Amino acid sequence: SDTSRRRALLSAMPKNKKKASKDEKTKEEEEEEEEGEDAPESEVKEAEKTTEVKEETKEETKNEEEAEGAKGYPSESAEAAPKAPKPFHIEFKLHDSYPPMESAVSVVYCPLCSLPPDFCQYGPMWEKCKPWCLENAPHYYPELSGVSLEDAKKKAEEVGEKSKEKLLPGGKVKRAKSPHVTIKKLNRGGRKCVTSVAGLDLFSIKLDDVAKLFKKKFACGCSVVKGENTLPDTVDIQGDFEDEVIEIITAEWKQVPS
């Protein structure tokens, strides 16, 4: 039928084109080979010389770059890369080469580690000393030129807070004592005694209000005494009221554990 013939022709068309393109390529390659064979020997020798000269120039440039790197001169690739700041260094000189000293030299010491500023990095508290060195002696630490002073101060505060924590053997943190109320009976010569109550302020209870309440209940003198040498503040009651104080505290302030 006509449709089958058309399909056969269409399927045959791209194959014929591919064969034609392959035949053309083979003809062009044969012509190039014939031209290369017909070319004179002088032209071939000149082409070989140019390739040899190019290879020699490449080797020379590589050798020059290696020699410059060995001498300490930066190459073009090294110049493009950013240079890291070198640490502060002073060349050693004999004492004879220095001029004679006419007066005493005043040496600045770090107020935290008591070392010269250029030795703070080897001290026991470098993180704490870093903000002081950035403010007073930045020329000793060029590698810290990109460090912000605020970040250094924050780190120093964090290190100071960690050092305040009392650690047990093994690096365990000491557990803080839970708040509690202590009631003591203190003798004041002869038959007189005072009942002292401490620890109520740890439960957010005002000691002045406690003293007023105890005055009304016991009809006696009562006052707030401030603690000395890290001792807690107490409420002192004139008289022996240990049992009564316990009953009043548990009835009035339920946040205090019984």
Side-chain angles (χ1 to χ4, degrees):
S1 62
D2 295 335
T3 55
S4 61
R5 287 178 184 176
R6 286 177 184 176
R7 287 177 183 173
L9 290 170
L10 291 171
S11 61
M13 285 295 288
K15 291 180 181 178
N16 294 331
K17 286 182 180 179
K18 287 180 182 177
K19 288 179 181 178
S21 61
K22 286 180 181 178
D23 294 336
E24 288 175 359
K25 286 181 182 177
T26 52
K27 286 179 182 179
E28 288 176 357
E29 289 174 358
E30 288 175 358
E31 288 176 359
E32 287 177 357
E33 289 176 357
E34 289 176 358
E35 287 177 357
E37 290 175 356
D38 296 337
E41 293 181 359
S42 60
E43 291 180 0
V44 174
K45 289 179 180 179
E46 287 179 0
E48 290 177 355
K49 286 180 182 179
T50 53
T51 53
E52 288 177 359
V53 169
K54 287 180 180 178
E55 289 177 357
E56 288 177 359
T57 52
K58 287 180 181 179
E59 290 178 358
E60 287 177 359
T61 52
K62 286 181 181 179
N63 293 328
E64 287 176 359
E65 287 179 356
E66 289 176 358
E68 287 177 356
K71 290 179 181 178
Y73 297 106
S75 60
E76 292 179 357
S77 60
E79 288 178 357
K83 295 179 181 179
K86 295 181 180 179
F88 182 77
H89 178 69
I90 298 173
E91 294 181 1
F92 175 75
K93 293 181 182 180
L94 296 172
H95 65 280
D96 298 333
S97 60
Y98 287 98
M101 295 177 65
E102 297 178 355
S103 61
V105 178
S106 60
V107 181
V108 180
Y109 293 97
C110 177
L112 299 170
C113 64
S114 68
L115 292 173
D118 51 334
F119 283 89
C120 283
Q121 59 181 339
Y122 307 111
M125 48 180 70
W126 169 232
E127 291 296 333
K128 289 184 180 179
C129 300
K130 194 182 286 185
W132 184 87
C133 291
L134 288 172
E135 287 182 348
N136 300 289
H139 54 282
Y140 288 119
Y141 302 99
E143 64 272 12
L144 299 177
S145 58
V147 179
S148 64
L149 184 61
E150 293 179 358
D151 294 340
K153 287 182 178 179
K154 287 180 182 178
K155 285 184 180 179
E157 289 176 359
E158 289 176 0
V159 172
E161 289 176 357
K162 287 181 181 178
S163 62
K164 288 179 182 178
E165 294 180 356
K166 294 181 180 179
L167 300 177
L168 296 172
K172 294 180 180 179
V173 181
K174 191 175 181 180
R175 186 179 177 183
K177 292 182 179 180
S178 57
H180 60 280
V181 179
T182 57
I183 301 168
K184 294 180 182 179
K185 182 181 175 182
L186 305 175
N187 293 321
R188 293 291 175 88
R191 295 180 180 178
K192 293 182 180 180
C193 62
V194 175
T195 305
S196 178
V197 183
L200 288 171
D201 53 346
L202 300 175
F203 295 93
S204 65
I205 300 169
K206 292 182 180 180
L207 298 182
D208 294 331
D209 297 339
V210 175
K212 288 178 182 178
L213 181 63
F214 288 164
K215 277 182 184 180
K216 290 180 181 180
K217 293 286 184 181
F218 305 129
C220 63
C222 184
S223 62
V224 178
V225 180
K226 291 185 179 180
E228 295 179 356
N229 297 326
T230 66
L231 293 173
D233 297 343
T234 60
V235 179
D236 291 352
I237 310 164
Q238 293 179 1
D240 184 6
F241 301 102
E242 282 184 300
D243 298 331
E244 293 84 350
V245 166
I246 294 169
E247 291 176 1
I248 292 169
I249 289 171
T250 54
E252 293 290 333
W253 299 285
K254 293 181 180 180
Q255 66 265 35
V256 180
S258 56

